[in-house]
Amino acid sequence: LSHCYVKFCVASEGFKELFVAKGISPNKIVATGIPNFDNAQAYKKNDFPQKGYVLAATSCLRETFKYENRRKFIQKALKVADGRQLIFKLHPNEQHDRAIREIEQYAPGCEIYTKGNIQHMIANCSALITKYSSVLMVALGLDKPVYSDLPDSLLQKMRPIQNKGRSANNIAAVCRSYLVEEVPQYQYGI
């Protein structure tokens, strides 16, 4: 929201709408797609052995001194799974020993992964549960059902453009267009 840029490249038209609503000029935003999330189909080629489960991706909110009711998150995951296999993938930055104890207490018998490629796990799951993680962008790119703390109407707007990995080229084209034009100078306040 600094407005200290010529163009702002975003993942989708929905993201553009969100930033316009926050006060950014629509002329400054270009929906190019984002390299990390523009080729979700590629994650389907993987060697993760399981398929069709519900995946719960945890967060590291507590490690960054933010509130999270983990028991409520686990109970939500169980409700969404509704008897289907439920797998938990722990966030790399969270306290794994504590998280494992909590999951074993409230969802005994569920598989818990502390390592592994979460994009491959998302590609093989039937639904993703998370709070506010960027992993939901992969699930949205694969048209997976996503259960998060964000409203579904917002999630659908956030669905990243899927252009088979061309977002970096799209962003480069936006940048190239300014190499031949005079770019306005910005003054940064001190």
Side-chain angles (χ1 to χ4, degrees):
L1 300 175
S2 70
H3 303 281
C4 293
Y5 46 83
V6 177
K7 289 289 183 185
F8 183 24
C9 297
V10 295
S12 66
E13 288 294 329
F15 267 103
K16 181 176 180 175
E17 285 178 35
L18 292 172
F19 285 112
V20 168
K22 290 180 181 277
I24 295 176
S25 168
N27 298 330
K28 288 184 122 183
I29 305 173
V30 183
T32 55
I34 298 294
N36 291 6
F37 305 115
D38 66 356
N39 193 13
Q41 293 297 317
Y43 296 126
K44 288 184 172 182
K45 292 182 182 176
N46 67 68
D47 59 359
F48 191 69
Q50 301 186 58
K51 295 187 182 348
Y53 49 86
V54 174
L55 179 64
T58 65
S59 70
C60 64
L61 289 172
R62 296 179 289 185
E63 285 71 20
T64 56
F65 306 107
K66 295 176 182 84
Y67 175 75
E68 181 186 17
N69 184 333
R70 182 54 64 89
R71 180 174 142 194
K72 185 177 176 182
F73 176 79
I74 295 168
Q75 289 171 335
K76 177 181 180 177
L78 287 166
K79 184 177 179 180
V80 169
D82 191 28
R84 294 178 287 175
Q85 180 185 12
L86 176 60
I87 293 177
F88 285 86
K89 168 60 174 77
L90 303 186
H91 191 283
N93 296 334
E94 81 172 301
Q95 266 185 20
H96 291 166
D97 56 341
R98 175 183 62 193
I100 290 168
R101 277 194 313 274
E102 292 165 336
I103 294 166
E104 287 175 345
Q105 179 180 358
Y106 298 112
C110 289
E111 282 190 61
I112 304 168
Y113 287 85
T114 60
K115 295 180 181 170
N117 186 319
I118 192 153
Q119 290 88 354
H120 293 173
M121 293 176 188
I122 293 167
N124 291 4
C125 78
S126 60
L128 175 71
I129 305 158
T130 190
K131 291 188 74 61
Y132 303 104
S133 174
S134 63
V135 300
L136 64 81
M137 298 293 282
V138 174
L140 291 170
L142 288 166
D143 292 321
K144 302 279 183 175
V146 174
Y147 299 86
S148 77
D149 288 356
L150 300 171
D152 193 54
S153 58
L154 177 60
L155 290 175
Q156 296 315 311
K157 285 183 177 187
M158 292 172 59
R159 185 178 307 281
I161 293 170
Q162 297 298 296
N163 57 30
K164 297 184 180 176
R166 291 191 302 270
S167 295
N169 289 336
N170 296 344
I171 294 167
V174 170
C175 294
R176 267 191 229 97
S177 73
Y178 286 93
L179 291 175
V180 294
E181 296 179 15
E182 188 174 317
V183 178
Q185 299 297 310
Y186 290 96
Q187 293 183 344
Y188 296 92
I190 298 177

